[in-house]
Amino acid sequence: MFDQPTNRRRFLYASGSTAFAIGIGSALPDCFAQAAESATSDGERILVVVQLSGGNDGLNTLIPYRDDAYRAARPTLAVPRSDVLTIDDDIGFHPSLRSIKDLLDGGQVAVVQGVGYENPNRSHFESMDIWHSCVRKDQRRTDGWIGRTLERFTSAEGGDVPALHLGGQQQPFALASQSIRVPTVKELDEFQIRGSDPAALRRLLGGSPSVAAVEASDDDLLGFLQSSTQNAISASRRVTEAAQGYQTEIDYPESQLGRQMRLVAQLINAGMKTRVYYLQLDGFDTHAQQDATHAILLRQWSDAVSALINDLTAQGHGDRVCVMTFSEFGRRVAENASAGTDHGAAGPMFLCGGGLHAGLIGTTPRLDDLQQGDLKHTVDFRSVYASVLKDWLGTDPDPVLAGHYDTLPLFAGA
Amino acid sequence: MAEDLTIDPDWAWQPFTPSDSRQWDHVAAAHLYRRAGFGADIALLDGAARRSPRDVVDELVSLNLETSEFRSVADSLAQTLLAGGDPMKLSAAWVYRMLFTPAQLLEKTTLFWHGHFATGADKVKDASMMWRQNQLLRRHALGDFHALTQAIAKDPAMLIYLDSASNRKSHPNENFARELMELFCLGEGHYTEADVVELARCFTGWEIRNNRFRKNRYQHDDGEKSILGKRGVFDGEQAVEIVISKDDVPRFICRKLARYFIADELQWTDDLIDVPARTMRDHGLQIAPVLRQMLSSNLFYSAHARARKIKSPVELVIGMLRGLRGTTNSQRVAQGLRAIGQGLFYPPNVKGWDGGRAWINSSTVLGRANLFEQILSDGNTRFDGESLTQYLAGHDVHDAAEALDHFERCLMAVPINPANRQSLIAQFGSLGNDHEKAYRRLLHAVCSLPEFQLA
């Protein structure tokens, strides 16, 4: 029954009628069941989160190129002054960030300096959990900050899946929610049921959950598997359909992140109501021979993000998409003996898109005032989240962040 | 759910004694083989059900070495695949081992240690090094945690993975030192940043030359260090010993073993985990006694543990094949496992696989179904050397309903729910002309069901 390509409205109708036919309409995932009614308005703002996993070396990303202490701490890793893409008299970008620099010059990048949190944890996993959940380990963590944000959206806005994770990695905890399952799409080509009779299998898996599952509590494993399976079938249909036949003038880089960014543009252009896209770039844990690796990773990030922004701008969506980039920590100021850097603390965050106050935000962390060899943070990451939540996504940040954090002047409308 | 109730630790770890209300039967035996291994075919299950649970567990634990016959076949296959130098091919050799080993618990525990001392071939790149590490893990899998940790600390693949292939005193590399405490032995929060810095100094001078571990005494920092409350001129071995001798170690390891072998989401409180932790400590950090206790316990056979795990990709695929005496292209299985999140020799990062619900997302749900489709649409996939039709006929299965019963019995922790069973019968009730194709499609559908994903 799902074998012909359908437009959005027909898809929604079809989903509804499948459920109706087998008499379990209430068991459809909420996000799809509500879609038919609220599928009209265009123009909602979208957040694209890019996670640089492994701890990006912020000091070699946003470089205090005139500071002698920088060069002294990094005899082999310091970027030569002549290579730095200067932003002002003190600060510049790593040479791999040419395309981000162009975006900055075009008024489409805000760089928040020295972002971190009190008493920084240098474990990848614990620090990432702090960024994802906004709470420390001594408190119970059941969901992530984006998951909590999505819960505030759904009842009012419905529509497509509220968020989408693109990538082959495990789904980030930031997206975890008590009531909403965020789909993960690894490769679009594989994101559909195959076989000699896929429609029959889709009916079996996407259809009726057992009575037991409906009655089961939220955390019952079987209930979780059933709702995950139904969600997968629904999301596969919608995403595959939305991504068909996309044309663009923009050359995306031939990297995984580039392909994922292209898919984001496709889905936004197809009118998907998804509010949050989440992407990851791995490999920033550069304990040894950092130089070449870091340059490649930064270029992949920079070129992919700028391709997305340029594409969306050309297609008329530039003012409603913001790409936010973070990493779980920066790296130690002094390089180690393996021409690499160990785990550190504060680092910069980047916001890219058309709705920003462009430029450098906040104060530059000082190299002559370190904590355990690391940069001290000057901005709490939750202040950046608060600004995005309040001034971009238009929702009250305090309940999401479990506390009040002052916002920053990041967005033009704020 | 039951886990809201506090579990009495004394009851939990007492040996399970079958009674009228809690029977030892082929369902219980299937649970044991799914967890302590990769599954069992109907003959093995029937045999186990006729023995006592204690006997069966003892046998699983005592098979702590591969038979030399099996080992020589499995090793020579690995050597052949190694010749290409591609770690991805090596992964197929491991699939072969999992599929055919008579020492299931040994292999399952080797996989546990691979997730624990996670090392990725994407960074190490050298297949023979990954192979040597794999042999190391298998050699110590059911043995002594001291010996295992000391060995892994000098393992070339591990040291390359954690950037310690050349560790110099002028500026020690902290990566291995940190993970030794955080991920391998103690857990985050049981050490300080100062411990990381000091511990790293102990490993200076450790390096890999010509693919072998060696110590470079000129690069060793022989000053005094202070680690976890102890002070002295420690070298790397002593540093490892200091970390391992902390009281937190048995609890940390047992909690992880319990999650792996018993239940993903039980609250493994200190109270509950103290009994196996004590067992581990009393046995000088030997692993086998802990597993014997866990796999024989009341808790293991209770509702707290039955169907309370989500199958890992390996458990999912190898389990289906072993349950039906299936054979197929190991290379494809290896690639398929990687595509759905458990590439052997390719853990996602140094923390290994989180498991549980993290196995499941919309991509892996579809990927799991599609991998079975690939395996089952391949004519080279055989069951006990025969077609699926012949295999099933040999077990007196002649229609779709009987086939569902057989699949449930061998493969599933919970029965197929009635609505799904009804749909499957409706679709396959009359098998049509091509029985083989119909049975394979039926099995594909069964393997794709949510309830099939439970172990």
Side-chain angles (χ1 to χ4, degrees), chain B residues 171-205:
Chain B
H171 221 120
N173 192 306
E174 291 175 5
N175 210 7
F176 177 73
R178 177 183 302 279
E179 304 311 6
L180 180 68
M181 293 192 288
E182 179 184 341
L183 298 174
F184 301 161
C185 295
L186 303 177
E188 207 272 326
H190 292 94
Y191 56 90
T192 65
E193 283 303 312
D195 290 324
V196 174
V197 172
E198 292 285 279
L199 193 66
R201 292 174 58 208
C202 303
F203 295 111
T204 50

Short mmCIF file of all heavy atoms in Angstrom, two decimals, chain B residues 171-205:
data_model
loop_
_atom_site.label_atom_id
_atom_site.label_comp_id
_atom_site.label_asym_id
_atom_site.label_seq_id
_atom_site.Cartn_x
_atom_site.Cartn_y
_atom_site.Cartn_z
N HIS B 171 56.77 14.71 28.97
CA HIS B 171 55.37 15.11 28.96
C HIS B 171 54.51 13.87 28.79
O HIS B 171 54.15 13.49 27.70
CB HIS B 171 55.11 16.11 27.84
CG HIS B 171 54.20 17.19 28.28
ND1 HIS B 171 54.53 18.52 28.28
CD2 HIS B 171 52.94 17.14 28.79
CE1 HIS B 171 53.53 19.23 28.74
NE2 HIS B 171 52.56 18.42 29.06
N PRO B 172 54.17 13.23 29.90
CA PRO B 172 53.47 11.96 29.81
C PRO B 172 52.12 12.08 29.12
O PRO B 172 51.45 13.10 29.23
CB PRO B 172 53.27 11.56 31.28
CG PRO B 172 53.78 12.66 32.11
CD PRO B 172 54.41 13.69 31.26
N ASN B 173 51.77 11.03 28.42
CA ASN B 173 50.47 10.97 27.78
C ASN B 173 49.44 10.43 28.78
O ASN B 173 49.62 9.36 29.35
CB ASN B 173 50.55 10.04 26.56
CG ASN B 173 49.33 10.16 25.69
OD1 ASN B 173 48.21 10.02 26.16
ND2 ASN B 173 49.55 10.44 24.42
N GLU B 174 48.36 11.15 28.97
CA GLU B 174 47.42 10.82 30.04
C GLU B 174 46.33 9.84 29.61
O GLU B 174 45.55 9.37 30.43
CB GLU B 174 46.72 12.10 30.53
CG GLU B 174 47.65 13.02 31.27
CD GLU B 174 46.96 14.33 31.63
OE1 GLU B 174 45.74 14.47 31.39
OE2 GLU B 174 47.66 15.20 32.16
N ASN B 175 46.24 9.57 28.34
CA ASN B 175 45.06 8.87 27.85
C ASN B 175 44.89 7.49 28.49
O ASN B 175 43.84 7.16 29.03
CB ASN B 175 45.13 8.75 26.32
CG ASN B 175 43.76 8.73 25.68
OD1 ASN B 175 42.75 8.92 26.35
ND2 ASN B 175 43.71 8.48 24.38
N PHE B 176 45.94 6.65 28.42
CA PHE B 176 45.82 5.31 28.98
C PHE B 176 45.59 5.36 30.48
O PHE B 176 44.75 4.64 31.02
CB PHE B 176 47.05 4.45 28.64
CG PHE B 176 46.96 3.08 29.27
CD1 PHE B 176 46.08 2.14 28.75
CD2 PHE B 176 47.70 2.76 30.38
CE1 PHE B 176 45.95 0.89 29.35
CE2 PHE B 176 47.59 1.51 30.98
CZ PHE B 176 46.71 0.58 30.46
N ALA B 177 46.34 6.22 31.17
CA ALA B 177 46.21 6.31 32.63
C ALA B 177 44.78 6.65 33.04
O ALA B 177 44.20 6.05 33.95
CB ALA B 177 47.17 7.37 33.17
N ARG B 178 44.19 7.58 32.33
CA ARG B 178 42.82 7.99 32.65
C ARG B 178 41.84 6.83 32.42
O ARG B 178 41.04 6.51 33.28
CB ARG B 178 42.41 9.18 31.78
CG ARG B 178 40.96 9.63 31.99
CD ARG B 178 40.59 10.76 31.03
NE ARG B 178 41.45 11.92 31.15
CZ ARG B 178 41.32 12.86 32.09
NH1 ARG B 178 40.35 12.76 32.98
NH2 ARG B 178 42.15 13.87 32.14
N GLU B 179 41.95 6.19 31.26
CA GLU B 179 40.98 5.14 30.95
C GLU B 179 41.19 3.91 31.84
O GLU B 179 40.24 3.20 32.14
CB GLU B 179 41.03 4.76 29.47
CG GLU B 179 40.82 5.92 28.48
CD GLU B 179 39.62 6.83 28.74
OE1 GLU B 179 38.94 6.68 29.76
OE2 GLU B 179 39.36 7.73 27.90
N LEU B 180 42.42 3.65 32.24
CA LEU B 180 42.66 2.54 33.16
C LEU B 180 41.80 2.69 34.41
O LEU B 180 41.19 1.73 34.88
CB LEU B 180 44.15 2.48 33.55
CG LEU B 180 44.55 1.36 34.51
CD1 LEU B 180 44.42 0.00 33.85
CD2 LEU B 180 45.96 1.56 35.05
N MET B 181 41.72 3.91 34.92
CA MET B 181 40.92 4.13 36.12
C MET B 181 39.44 4.32 35.78
O MET B 181 38.57 3.72 36.41
CB MET B 181 41.45 5.34 36.90
CG MET B 181 42.83 5.07 37.49
SD MET B 181 43.36 6.30 38.68
CE MET B 181 43.69 7.70 37.62
N GLU B 182 39.15 5.16 34.79
CA GLU B 182 37.76 5.50 34.52
C GLU B 182 36.97 4.31 33.96
O GLU B 182 35.86 4.02 34.40
CB GLU B 182 37.67 6.67 33.55
CG GLU B 182 36.21 7.03 33.21
CD GLU B 182 36.07 8.14 32.17
OE1 GLU B 182 37.03 8.87 31.94
OE2 GLU B 182 34.98 8.24 31.58
N LEU B 183 37.54 3.67 32.94
CA LEU B 183 36.73 2.70 32.19
C LEU B 183 37.10 1.25 32.47
O LEU B 183 36.29 0.37 32.28
CB LEU B 183 36.88 2.96 30.70
CG LEU B 183 36.39 4.32 30.22
CD1 LEU B 183 36.71 4.51 28.75
CD2 LEU B 183 34.90 4.48 30.47
N PHE B 184 38.34 0.99 32.89
CA PHE B 184 38.77 -0.40 32.99
C PHE B 184 38.65 -0.97 34.41
O PHE B 184 38.44 -2.16 34.57
CB PHE B 184 40.23 -0.56 32.51
CG PHE B 184 40.45 -0.13 31.08
CD1 PHE B 184 41.73 0.17 30.62
CD2 PHE B 184 39.39 -0.01 30.19
CE1 PHE B 184 41.95 0.57 29.30
CE2 PHE B 184 39.60 0.40 28.87
CZ PHE B 184 40.88 0.68 28.43
N CYS B 185 38.82 -0.11 35.41
CA CYS B 185 38.95 -0.66 36.76
C CYS B 185 38.07 -0.03 37.84
O CYS B 185 37.58 -0.74 38.71
CB CYS B 185 40.41 -0.56 37.24
SG CYS B 185 41.53 -1.57 36.26
N LEU B 186 37.90 1.27 37.83
CA LEU B 186 37.30 1.91 39.00
C LEU B 186 35.98 2.61 38.71
O LEU B 186 35.08 2.61 39.55
CB LEU B 186 38.27 2.95 39.58
CG LEU B 186 39.65 2.45 39.99
CD1 LEU B 186 40.51 3.61 40.47
CD2 LEU B 186 39.52 1.41 41.09
N GLY B 187 35.88 3.26 37.60
CA GLY B 187 34.69 4.06 37.31
C GLY B 187 34.93 5.53 37.63
O GLY B 187 35.67 5.87 38.56
N GLU B 188 34.30 6.36 36.85
CA GLU B 188 34.44 7.80 37.00
C GLU B 188 34.00 8.19 38.41
O GLU B 188 33.02 7.67 38.94
CB GLU B 188 33.57 8.48 35.94
CG GLU B 188 34.04 9.84 35.53
CD GLU B 188 33.48 10.93 36.41
OE1 GLU B 188 32.33 10.77 36.87
OE2 GLU B 188 34.18 11.90 36.67
N GLY B 189 34.74 9.13 39.01
CA GLY B 189 34.38 9.57 40.35
C GLY B 189 35.16 8.86 41.46
O GLY B 189 35.08 9.25 42.61
N HIS B 190 35.92 7.83 41.10
CA HIS B 190 36.69 7.09 42.11
C HIS B 190 38.19 7.40 42.06
O HIS B 190 39.01 6.62 42.50
CB HIS B 190 36.45 5.59 41.98
CG HIS B 190 35.05 5.19 42.34
ND1 HIS B 190 34.06 5.07 41.40
CD2 HIS B 190 34.48 4.94 43.54
CE1 HIS B 190 32.93 4.72 42.01
NE2 HIS B 190 33.16 4.66 43.30
N TYR B 191 38.51 8.53 41.44
CA TYR B 191 39.90 8.98 41.38
C TYR B 191 39.86 10.48 41.12
O TYR B 191 38.79 11.02 40.80
CB TYR B 191 40.65 8.26 40.24
CG TYR B 191 39.95 8.46 38.91
CD1 TYR B 191 40.27 9.55 38.09
CD2 TYR B 191 38.92 7.63 38.49
CE1 TYR B 191 39.59 9.78 36.91
CE2 TYR B 191 38.24 7.85 37.32
CZ TYR B 191 38.58 8.93 36.53
OH TYR B 191 37.90 9.18 35.37
N THR B 192 41.01 11.13 41.26
CA THR B 192 41.05 12.58 41.03
C THR B 192 41.87 12.88 39.77
O THR B 192 42.57 12.01 39.24
CB THR B 192 41.72 13.31 42.21
OG1 THR B 192 43.10 12.89 42.25
CG2 THR B 192 41.02 12.97 43.52
N GLU B 193 41.79 14.13 39.33
CA GLU B 193 42.61 14.55 38.19
C GLU B 193 44.09 14.43 38.54
O GLU B 193 44.92 14.10 37.69
CB GLU B 193 42.26 15.99 37.80
CG GLU B 193 40.97 16.11 37.01
CD GLU B 193 40.96 15.28 35.74
OE1 GLU B 193 41.93 15.34 34.96
OE2 GLU B 193 39.97 14.55 35.53
N ALA B 194 44.43 14.67 39.80
CA ALA B 194 45.83 14.54 40.21
C ALA B 194 46.28 13.08 40.07
O ALA B 194 47.42 12.81 39.67
CB ALA B 194 45.99 15.02 41.66
N ASP B 195 45.38 12.14 40.38
CA ASP B 195 45.72 10.72 40.19
C ASP B 195 46.04 10.42 38.72
O ASP B 195 46.93 9.63 38.42
CB ASP B 195 44.57 9.82 40.66
CG ASP B 195 44.40 9.82 42.17
OD1 ASP B 195 45.42 9.88 42.88
OD2 ASP B 195 43.24 9.75 42.63
N VAL B 196 45.27 11.04 37.82
CA VAL B 196 45.51 10.82 36.39
C VAL B 196 46.92 11.27 36.02
O VAL B 196 47.69 10.54 35.37
CB VAL B 196 44.48 11.58 35.52
CG1 VAL B 196 44.83 11.45 34.03
CG2 VAL B 196 43.06 11.07 35.78
N VAL B 197 47.26 12.47 36.47
CA VAL B 197 48.56 13.04 36.12
C VAL B 197 49.70 12.19 36.70
O VAL B 197 50.67 11.86 36.01
CB VAL B 197 48.65 14.50 36.65
CG1 VAL B 197 50.05 15.05 36.48
CG2 VAL B 197 47.62 15.37 35.94
N GLU B 198 49.53 11.76 37.94
CA GLU B 198 50.59 10.97 38.59
C GLU B 198 50.69 9.55 38.00
O GLU B 198 51.78 9.03 37.80
CB GLU B 198 50.30 10.88 40.10
CG GLU B 198 50.43 12.19 40.83
CD GLU B 198 51.89 12.60 41.04
OE1 GLU B 198 52.52 12.10 41.98
OE2 GLU B 198 52.40 13.41 40.23
N LEU B 199 49.53 8.98 37.73
CA LEU B 199 49.52 7.64 37.15
C LEU B 199 50.19 7.65 35.78
O LEU B 199 50.95 6.74 35.44
CB LEU B 199 48.07 7.14 37.03
CG LEU B 199 47.87 5.65 36.73
CD1 LEU B 199 48.36 4.80 37.90
CD2 LEU B 199 46.39 5.35 36.48
N ALA B 200 49.94 8.70 35.02
CA ALA B 200 50.54 8.79 33.68
C ALA B 200 52.07 8.76 33.77
O ALA B 200 52.74 8.18 32.91
CB ALA B 200 50.05 10.06 32.99
N ARG B 201 52.62 9.35 34.82
CA ARG B 201 54.09 9.36 34.97
C ARG B 201 54.65 7.95 35.10
O ARG B 201 55.76 7.67 34.67
CB ARG B 201 54.48 10.18 36.20
CG ARG B 201 54.20 11.68 36.06
CD ARG B 201 54.48 12.39 37.38
NE ARG B 201 55.85 12.19 37.82
CZ ARG B 201 56.24 12.21 39.11
NH1 ARG B 201 55.36 12.41 40.07
NH2 ARG B 201 57.51 12.02 39.43
N CYS B 202 53.88 7.06 35.73
CA CYS B 202 54.36 5.69 35.94
C CYS B 202 54.56 4.95 34.61
O CYS B 202 55.37 4.03 34.52
CB CYS B 202 53.38 4.90 36.79
SG CYS B 202 53.04 5.64 38.39
N PHE B 203 53.78 5.32 33.62
CA PHE B 203 53.84 4.60 32.33
C PHE B 203 54.82 5.22 31.35
O PHE B 203 54.93 4.78 30.21
CB PHE B 203 52.44 4.54 31.69
CG PHE B 203 51.47 3.73 32.49
CD1 PHE B 203 50.40 4.35 33.14
CD2 PHE B 203 51.63 2.36 32.62
CE1 PHE B 203 49.51 3.61 33.89
CE2 PHE B 203 50.73 1.61 33.37
CZ PHE B 203 49.67 2.23 34.01
N THR B 204 55.51 6.26 31.77
CA THR B 204 56.48 6.86 30.85
C THR B 204 57.57 5.84 30.54
O THR B 204 57.93 5.02 31.38
CB THR B 204 57.10 8.14 31.45
OG1 THR B 204 57.55 7.85 32.77
CG2 THR B 204 56.09 9.26 31.47
N GLY B 205 58.06 5.89 29.34
CA GLY B 205 59.07 4.93 28.90
C GLY B 205 58.44 3.69 28.27
O GLY B 205 59.13 2.90 27.61
#
